Amino acid sequence: MGRLFGTDGVRGLANVDVTAELALDLSVAAAHVLGDAGAFAGHRPRAVVGRDPRASGEFLSAAVVAGLASAGVDVQDVGVLPTPGIAHLVTATGADLGVVLSASHNPVPDNGIKFFARGGHKLPDEVEDAIEARLREPWQRPTGAAVGRVRPDGSGAQRYVEHLVASAPHRLDGLRVVVDCAHGAAWWVGPEALRRAGADVTVLGAEPDGLNTNDGVGSTHPGPLREAVLAAGADAGVAFDGDADRCLAVDARGELVDGDQVMGVLALALKERGALAGDVLVATVMSNLGLILAMREAGVRVVQTAVGDRYVLEAMREGGYSLGGEQSGHVVMLDHQTTGDGVLTALHLLARVAELGRPLAEVASVVRRLPQVLVNVPDVDKARASSHEGVRAAVAQAEAELGTTGRVLLRPSGTEPLVRVMVEASAADQAQAVADRLAAVVAAELAL
């Protein structure tokens, strides 16, 4: 049996993989592990619990609250709120634990359980492993006054919005913005924060009914946002995913502004203000070479990590860096938040546009994305991808051909018997030709 926790908590098909029983048992185990580690020493433990709007979150949240309270933890139930909003409230209230019920950008039938430790940080692998190891263990149940108390709290959204707006380095007055909330957790928070910062806001995807989260809208479906921006003659559009931990944008022409461009804009803005720690941006190996070249020209060093926001966060915390993220639009600004925050990202991106008084397309042009081709090669021995001499020789030949304006990346899938071949080049036809050639070599040499 594989590890229960993935790179972003426990996730799967709700009521099949992620059940009420599992949610309750995980919450009890988490309370025990953190309590034994001294996280609750000298005080009555407190937790913040919230969720995105999908229907399964209703019973899963109830199970988490029940598990925590039965283990003697007082619970502040904040209802529907973005994942970064929960992280912020854990920090702001001094809570010992945060729990989010969300499957982020996944479709509605899925759901997930994510834990935050004191300070709003994700749990390290070893703590997650300890929680998994203690599932369903016998335990002494508290009684009477020792059981946890549950307090619904409707003020969390207001407090989170106030935090977001206070972080903006420039007002958004005069900007017309379309906001796609993915029928998700930011349905109220996103538009409200942008309005309070001064923007004229048109809203999409802000009618969650429990079954429509991420359904044809949000950051994974930018088409409706493009159409709305063009129809409204807006200056820009921003789109969140179901739990609003990521943000993508479109400019006034309806052209996509991806996470790499967003990070480039924010990095230069922070560097200009002397707020980019170490003049370093942390990104994953999947970030476009265009970002790295642009940052190099601007005097910003790019530290690259494995794919996954937890690896970005680890590198940021270890190096003391302030900005990092992924091409998907999951951007972390550690001066303001402990995790990726889509609404925060949107505020700071649009603040830069307003500050410079130039169109988003021009502001985002600081990063010229190189053509990028990704080919999946199935039914191969992915474990040998990095060591097979024939494959390594083909990669070396491709890298020599591309020179300094291109690159090659072979990534074994974490869940399937396939290898992903990614090639970037200065011309799209060259990137495609090199990717196809490498994919053929991988298919022939590593066939199962």
Side-chain angles (χ1 to χ4, degrees):
M1 181 178 174
R3 187 173 185 265
L4 181 62
F5 284 88
T7 57
D8 203 21
V10 177
R11 193 176 295 184
L13 184 60
N15 218 25
V16 175
D17 304 313
V18 182
T19 63
E21 294 87 349
L22 177 63
L24 189 148
D25 291 339
L26 277 171
S27 301
V28 170
H32 292 164
V33 168
L34 293 173
D36 289 352
F40 309 152
H43 66 278
R44 189 176 174 95
R46 292 186 295 112
V48 177
V49 176
R51 62 183 179 87
D52 73 19
R54 63 189 79 209
S56 60
E58 296 169 2
F59 73 80
L60 290 172
S61 177
V64 165
V65 170
L68 291 172
S70 73
V73 179
D74 290 339
V75 179
Q76 178 182 348
D77 187 352
V78 298
V80 173
L81 201 65
T83 291
I86 307 299
H88 169 69
L89 290 176
V90 170
T91 305
T93 64
D96 304 288
L97 178 66
V99 190
V100 182
L101 291 305
S102 175
S104 191
H105 57 280
N106 284 26
V108 161
D110 289 348
N111 215 323
I113 305 169
K114 184 188 306 184
F115 293 95
F116 289 109
R118 177 187 287 273
H121 298 290
K122 293 182 181 180
L123 300 182
D125 287 350
E126 59 270 21
V127 175
E128 291 180 339
D129 290 340
I131 291 171
E132 185 172 344
R134 296 182 63 174
L135 280 175
R136 304 178 187 92
E137 68 176 1
W139 56 293
Q140 185 68 41
R141 299 170 183 268
T143 59
V147 302
R149 305 299 298 272
V150 179
R151 178 171 63 89
D153 183 357
S155 69
Q158 286 281 2
R159 297 173 66 180
Y160 176 46
V161 167
E162 290 168 4
H163 163 71
L164 291 167
V165 176
S167 80
H170 197 281
R171 294 278 301 173
L172 309 185
D173 301 282
L175 285 183
R176 289 177 295 169
V177 181
V178 179
V179 183
D180 183 346
C181 303
H183 296 306
W187 72 272
W188 182 82
V189 164
E192 182 68 12
L194 294 176
R195 287 192 183 105
R196 290 194 195 180
D200 178 359
V201 177
T202 299
V203 183
L204 294 178
E207 299 177 354
D209 62 9
L211 301 175
N212 59 0
T213 301
N214 298 321
D215 188 8
V217 289
S219 61
T220 52
H221 304 280
L225 179 62
R226 288 189 178 108
E227 294 171 7
V229 167
L230 293 173
D235 298 299
V238 292
F240 312 126
D241 62 338
D243 70 337
D245 65 353
R246 67 178 68 187
C247 169
L248 294 180
V250 299
D251 62 28
R253 307 166 303 176
E255 297 294 323
L256 184 68
V257 177
D258 71 7
D260 286 338
Q261 292 171 293
V262 171
M263 287 190 290
V265 171
L266 297 182
L268 296 188
L270 289 170
K271 185 174 187 296
E272 187 178 290
R273 296 199 297 271
L276 183 64
D279 285 346
V280 166
L281 168 66
V282 180
T284 76
V285 292
M286 289 301 292
S287 274
N288 194 280
L289 180 60
L291 171 66
I292 298 166
L293 295 175
M295 294 299 95
R296 183 182 301 160
E297 184 176 341
V300 174
R301 182 166 65 94
V302 179
V303 172
Q304 290 188 278
T305 74
V307 175
D309 67 282
R310 73 180 306 146
Y311 303 115
V312 171
L313 267 167
E314 285 173 6
M316 292 177 69
R317 293 176 67 181
E318 288 173 6
Y321 305 130
S322 55
L323 180 66
E326 299 182 278
Q327 194 177 55
S328 63
H330 193 116
V331 177
V332 182
M333 305 183 74
L334 278 184
D335 287 343
H336 306 290
Q337 181 58 282
T338 59
T339 187
D341 191 324
V343 183
L344 180 76
T345 300
L347 276 167
H348 284 251
L349 174 67
L350 295 170
R352 183 61 168 173
V353 171
E355 177 186 7
L356 296 177
R358 306 203 308 259
L360 175 58
E362 184 180 341
V363 173
S365 69
V366 296
V367 175
R368 186 178 74 85
R369 289 177 294 184
L370 297 184
Q372 188 180 78
V373 173
L374 182 66
V375 179
N376 290 331
V377 187
D379 302 319
V380 293
D381 183 1
K382 62 184 182 182
R384 297 166 59 215
S386 62
S387 60
H388 189 282
E389 288 195 12
V391 173
R392 292 173 63 182
V395 170
Q397 180 182 348
E399 289 175 336
E401 176 185 334
L402 295 170
T404 58
T405 58
R407 69 179 178 123
V408 174
L409 180 66
L410 265 60
R411 284 186 60 235
S413 167
T415 57
E416 303 172 82
L418 62 82
V419 171
R420 307 187 197 282
V421 178
M422 191 272 283
V423 176
E424 292 170 342
S426 56
D429 55 352
Q430 183 186 26
Q432 188 69 60
V434 172
D436 289 342
R437 188 169 73 240
L438 280 176
V441 172
V442 170
E445 299 289 350
L446 303 180
L448 292 174

